[in-house]
Amino acid sequence: VALVDALAERRNNRQAAEEYQGCLYTAEAQEIIARHHYRPYLDAVEAQYRDRFPAIPMFTVDEVFGGWQKAQAAHFDDGATFDRIYQPGR
């Protein structure tokens, strides 16, 4: 989840976005997320839903790509991987 400064300013909803972002990883929010069939982030909540969410290999952007800054430059900047593989209309 990211708060996009330009959008928050334009829509005048920064406070609501920050509050949402702040509560998203609480146990209560993660419980709601799991009940709606999304994999929870918190281990304690995930443990309650093991039958729904079998174990899968997980990774972070830091572990695999060296962080968001490197991933952005390598894959999403102009001319990077996404631009080279994306073919609109196909």
Side-chain angles (χ1 to χ4, degrees), residues 9-78:
E9 309 253 334
R10 187 168 62 229
R11 296 180 179 169
N12 196 29
N13 64 359
R14 175 175 295 279
Q15 181 179 353
E18 288 175 348
E19 288 176 13
Y20 173 77
Q21 197 174 34
C23 80
L24 190 59
Y25 295 101
T26 64
E28 181 181 10
Q30 291 290 297
E31 175 70 29
I32 293 168
I33 287 166
R35 282 197 320 257
H36 288 87
H37 308 283
Y38 292 94
R39 185 178 293 273
Y41 176 79
L42 295 177
D43 292 337
V45 177
E46 186 178 23
Q48 297 172 35
Y49 291 86
R50 275 219 172 87
D51 60 325
R52 186 178 292 176
F53 301 107
I56 59 172
M58 304 285 276
F59 62 87
T60 68
V61 172
D62 288 339
E63 291 167 347
V64 177
F65 301 104
W68 279 107
Q69 215 168 15
K70 287 183 180 181
Q72 174 69 37
H75 303 291
F76 302 108
D77 280 357
D78 288 343

